[in-house]
Amino acid sequence: MMARRYGLCLSLAFAALPIVGATAATPAAVRVDFSEHSLKNGLRVQLVEDHTTPVIAVNVSYDVGSRNERPGLTGFAHLFEHMMFKGSKNVGDGEHFYQVFTNGGAMNGTTSSDLTVYYEALPANQLEMALYMEADRMRSLDITQAKLDNQRQAVQEERRLRVDNQPYGRSYERFDEVFYDKFGYKHSTIGSMEDLNAASVQDVAEFFRIYYAPNNAVLTVVGDFKRDEALATIKKYFEDIPRQPAPPPVDLIEPRQTAERRETLTDPLARAPQILIGYKIGVGNDADQAALQVLSSVLQGGDSSRLYQSISKEKELVSGIGGYVEERIGTGGFYITATVRPDQKPEVVEAAIYEEIARITEEPIADWELQKARNATRLGYLQSIRSAQNRANILGSYTILFKDPNLINTRLQKIDAVTRGDVQRVAKKYLIPTGRTVLTTLPAPAAPAAAPGP
């Protein structure tokens, strides 16, 4: 579950951002100034000029993830994370990596249930090369049986490494199957072995035609360039790529859960019991999301959080505990994960977690807890926008996920507006027994000792 979230790194591009004067009582206001453009084929373009350092970041976000897959054809979105590096009409197999790395850059791609992102960071004088290669694979990805077979095997090996042969790997996958009712989020992004084996070249080509079209993508460029020149180059390479009909819509809104869901698994790779708890929440960026983020921070954000202080430090019931709020295009989740100490019982740990949740629903949080959540959110925000690559990633992702790229500038305001009463209200609304799903993983019992020989 944790792997579904984006990691945010640090860099030194922060000085270019405009900062409004601040006092000791009022933190500095920070904005990412971006312009938006739309090409004739429907490609959305976002540009952020930043002349602090001679670097550029290019980010292409596609409005496709495993939510768009159908039963029997899972794993396609993630398979394309691999296929998109296997060459196009004018760029050879693996050449995208070669050109970026030999020019001092970095690049990669990532797939989630909601979106797929490809990105590269390069010296500023290589902007045209990056745009050319991204346009070429959007226009003319080379899909062959040999390349499909090669990347099918790579994805299957990745599944073995991350899921099948990983402690709790199957537990995280099974949790979504129990937690969700709609197929879009119910199956894993990496897909099943059977579906990957069944994928044909025709299936893959059709998936590419539908979802990897310019009118289903957002191109974000951040860095040291002149806006008009960059936009002219983008039009040169992207604007004549044919648009496609809009992809079919996917229903991602879950029906109201009316009873607790619970399962227990046995994992031969696990060395300690683990508890996964999830509560259904609303869609990403709805009116309750900011208060839920504060609630998560107070309950499970770091060593000063209530769950850590009570369950780990004072009662010594767990070797690790934490969680997060996942904001999605459809119904999201509020998650708690606890690894139980070998000398404790999962049911005791679970009861202790519910005691802490009850405390938050019964009385407002302290002023210092609210301020701590605001400070943590602000720190994370400032760290995330220092890197040109992260700013490009956030802008593109917010556009796909929430249709609101300006959330990059308003998210702190939403957190600052949260009150102690708001936190108590959302705890009462969402963290309820009938709305939770619980999956407990137990280590496999030790094999019986072999009988002594004659």
Side-chain angles (χ1 to χ4, degrees), residues 11 55 91 94 143 176 198 208 236 255 296 388 405 439:
S11 77
V55 299
V91 179
I143 301 173
D176 280 349
F208 176 77
K236 173 183 175 182
S296 181
L439 190 145

Side-chain angles (χ1 to χ4, degrees), residues 31 39 54-55 61 115 138 226 253 318 328-329 377 386:
R31 280 190 60 82
L39 303 193
V55 299
S61 300
L115 79 164
M138 181 186 289
K226 294 181 179 179
I253 306 302
V318 298
R328 311 182 87 161
I329 292 176
T377 302
R386 293 176 77 177

Side-chain angles (χ1 to χ4, degrees), residues 15-32:
L17 301 175
I19 301 178
V20 180
T23 66
T26 305
V30 181
R31 280 190 60 82
V32 176

Side-chain angles (χ1 to χ4, degrees), residues 133-163:
M133 291 195 298
E134 287 292 356
D136 201 62
R137 63 180 173 181
M138 181 186 289
R139 180 198 315 274
S140 59
L141 185 67
D142 187 19
I143 301 173
T144 67
Q145 186 67 55
K147 291 180 179 181
L148 172 59
D149 291 341
N150 176 273
Q151 292 309 296
R152 186 200 330 261
Q153 293 171 11
V155 172
Q156 289 176 328
E157 185 59 31
E158 186 177 347
R159 179 183 170 85
R160 294 184 188 98
L161 177 66
R162 295 187 176 185
V163 179

Side-chain angles (χ1 to χ4, degrees), residues 126-373:
Q126 297 300 323
L127 174 59
E128 185 166 5
M129 180 191 72
L131 294 173
Y132 173 82
M133 291 195 298
E134 287 292 356
D136 201 62
R137 63 180 173 181
M138 181 186 289
R139 180 198 315 274
S140 59
L141 185 67
D142 187 19
I143 301 173
T144 67
Q145 186 67 55
K147 291 180 179 181
L148 172 59
D149 291 341
N150 176 273
Q151 292 309 296
R152 186 200 330 261
Q153 293 171 11
V155 172
Q156 289 176 328
E157 185 59 31
E158 186 177 347
R159 179 183 170 85
R160 294 184 188 98
L161 177 66
R162 295 187 176 185
V163 179
D164 298 339
N165 297 320
Q166 191 70 230
Y168 314 111
R170 176 55 184 153
S171 299
Y172 294 126
E173 190 173 52
R174 180 58 185 161
F175 186 91
D176 280 349
E177 295 169 1
V178 178
F179 187 72
Y180 283 106
D181 296 310
K182 301 288 182 67
F183 182 76
Y185 290 154
K186 193 177 181 70
H187 69 286
S188 70
T189 300
I190 203 165
S192 72
M193 289 291 195
E194 295 76 16
D195 289 355
L196 289 168
N197 281 328
S200 69
V201 170
Q202 292 74 23
D203 292 332
V204 175
E206 183 66 2
F207 193 86
F208 176 77
R209 182 192 66 79
I210 295 172
Y211 295 107
Y212 282 74
N215 51 298
N216 203 49
V218 177
L219 170 63
T220 309
V221 185
V222 178
D224 187 14
F225 57 82
K226 294 181 179 179
R227 180 171 292 129
D228 291 344
E229 294 177 1
L231 186 59
T233 304
I234 290 169
K235 289 181 177 180
K236 173 183 175 182
Y237 292 120
F238 284 90
E239 196 156 45
D240 65 343
I241 301 174
R243 69 182 298 146
Q244 298 292 331
V250 181
D251 182 6
L252 299 170
I253 306 302
E254 292 283 311
R256 184 173 180 271
Q257 186 172 319
T258 58
E260 181 188 75
R261 302 176 183 184
R262 179 177 292 272
E263 274 197 14
T264 300
L265 294 182
T266 299
D267 185 349
L269 299 176
R271 293 294 176 265
Q274 186 186 75
I275 304 168
L276 301 178
I277 303 172
Y279 297 88
K280 287 188 175 68
I281 59 175
V283 300
N285 201 31
D286 73 5
D288 287 337
Q289 289 297 330
L292 284 165
Q293 293 288 349
V294 174
L295 171 61
S296 181
S297 178
V298 170
L299 193 63
Q300 54 194 358
D303 290 355
S304 62
S305 68
R306 293 191 177 193
L307 289 183
Y308 179 85
Q309 286 292 314
S310 172
I311 298 174
S312 179
K313 186 175 180 180
E314 296 174 12
K315 298 177 182 177
E316 298 184 339
L317 298 177
V318 298
S319 59
I321 191 165
Y324 63 97
V325 176
E326 185 169 36
E327 299 177 78
R328 311 182 87 161
I329 292 176
T331 299
F334 187 108
Y335 301 107
I336 302 169
T337 303
T339 303
V340 182
R341 287 174 52 133
D343 58 338
Q344 300 294 337
K345 296 182 178 180
E347 56 268 27
V348 174
V349 173
E350 195 178 338
I353 292 172
Y354 300 148
E355 287 178 11
E356 291 303 318
I357 290 174
R359 281 184 56 212
I360 275 187
T361 63
E362 291 166 3
E363 59 184 43
I365 63 173
D367 288 333
W368 72 266
E369 290 178 304
L370 179 60
Q371 190 58 49
K372 170 206 159 189

Side-chain angles (χ1 to χ4, degrees), residues 74-135:
T74 63
F76 271 43
H78 178 248
L79 179 63
F80 261 96
E81 181 189 321
H82 293 250
M83 292 291 291
M84 286 285 277
F85 296 103
K86 296 300 290 179
S88 48
K89 182 177 180 180
N90 300 296
V91 179
D93 187 348
E95 188 178 353
H96 204 127
F97 282 108
Y98 177 83
Q99 293 293 346
V100 171
F101 293 157
T102 56
N103 280 283
M107 63 173 293
N108 214 326
T110 183
T111 308
S112 72
S113 56
D114 279 330
L115 79 164
T116 302
V117 177
Y118 302 94
Y119 55 91
E120 46 264 314
L122 283 156
N125 63 353
Q126 297 300 323
L127 174 59
E128 185 166 5
M129 180 191 72
L131 294 173
Y132 173 82
M133 291 195 298
E134 287 292 356

